[in-house]
Amino acid sequence: MDETWSPDHDQWLQATSSKPQDSRIRSQAWAAKRQASSFKLDKLQAVGYYEIMLIKKAKEITGGLTHTTKMPGPSYNTPASRCITGARLRNVKNSVCSSCYALKGNYKRFPKVEEALERRFKSLKRQAWVPAMATLIKKHKFFRWHDAGDLQSMAHLENIFEVCRLTPDTSHWMPTREAKF
């Protein structure tokens, strides 16, 4: 129901109107508005949407998505400095992580980018992360997990699987060095 409409609304109308109000008309209008609002909720519940998450709220929860120029869709990233296996492989000459692109260039050049990476890393433990990610991804045909960073735990991987189940029309790609998960 519209939060601006309440039983006190009639009193407000009387106090602010210079013309006398017909309480029967106001009452019918209020009932019609309440019924329309109730119908919308019933319709949403009937198709399984018990909670609608707005994109703005989803971005607040997850830290948002990134858009890399080499990919046909958005991606999600975390700090490469937080990679578990990558931290060891960086010290192995000629390994895939020894010259990690996500530890240099724009990832390190701009403080705002580093802040965003850290914000996304911290969001991984939020309870609403899965539905928030599904909300952000569902309208995209392609999605890449971790254009920087990598899996952090088995729980992180299971959450990604759940996001994939919730977004069946999206092709997901996740390169990883975290084979143990």
Side-chain angles (χ1 to χ4, degrees):
M1 186 168 16
D2 187 352
E3 294 175 6
T4 61
W5 194 270
S6 68
D8 295 335
H9 187 70
D10 289 337
Q11 293 171 351
W12 178 83
L13 276 177
Q14 286 176 339
T16 58
S17 176
S18 60
K19 296 180 181 177
Q21 296 291 319
D22 181 351
S23 63
R24 188 174 46 102
I25 294 172
R26 284 193 316 274
S27 180
Q28 288 172 348
W30 184 75
K33 190 169 183 118
R34 187 177 65 210
Q35 183 180 5
S37 177
S38 176
F39 173 74
K40 288 177 192 173
L41 181 61
D42 291 344
K43 184 178 176 184
L44 290 172
Q45 287 175 339
V47 293
Y49 292 102
Y50 294 101
E51 186 176 324
I52 298 172
M53 183 173 293
L54 298 175
I55 290 178
K56 182 179 179 182
K57 182 68 174 171
K59 286 178 181 179
E60 289 173 14
I61 292 168
T62 64
L65 303 180
T66 59
H67 299 274
T68 57
T69 59
K70 296 179 182 178
M71 291 298 298
S75 56
Y76 191 77
N77 56 26
T78 57
S81 60
R82 299 263 193 175
C83 291
I84 299 167
T85 302
R88 290 191 305 273
L89 288 177
R90 277 194 295 276
N91 299 323
V92 177
K93 187 176 181 180
N94 296 325
S95 73
V96 69
C97 298
S98 64
S99 61
C100 178
Y101 64 86
L103 290 172
K104 54 190 173 192
N106 289 340
Y107 291 97
K108 290 293 182 181
R109 185 177 304 141
F110 303 109
K112 293 284 185 193
V113 172
E114 288 187 274
E115 290 170 19
L117 290 166
E118 193 61 34
R119 187 173 54 252
R120 289 186 200 99
F121 176 78
K122 290 177 181 175
S123 78
L124 295 175
K125 295 183 180 180
R126 295 190 70 176
Q127 187 175 5
W129 187 84
V130 169
M133 285 300 295
T135 296
L136 295 176
I137 294 171
K138 68 183 173 187
K139 294 190 182 215
H140 297 283
K141 189 172 179 179
F142 300 101
F143 186 77
R144 178 181 178 178
W145 292 95
H146 305 120
D147 64 273
D150 209 335
L151 291 171
Q152 296 298 307
S153 65
M154 189 62 186
H156 182 189
L157 179 60
E158 289 169 354
N159 284 343
I160 289 173
F161 287 160
E162 185 60 25
V163 171
C164 293
R165 280 190 282 277
L166 293 170
T167 56
D169 295 330
T170 303
S171 295
H172 295 262
W173 179 45
M174 184 176 66
T176 183
R177 289 284 142 204
E178 302 299 339
K180 66 183 175 187
F181 300 128

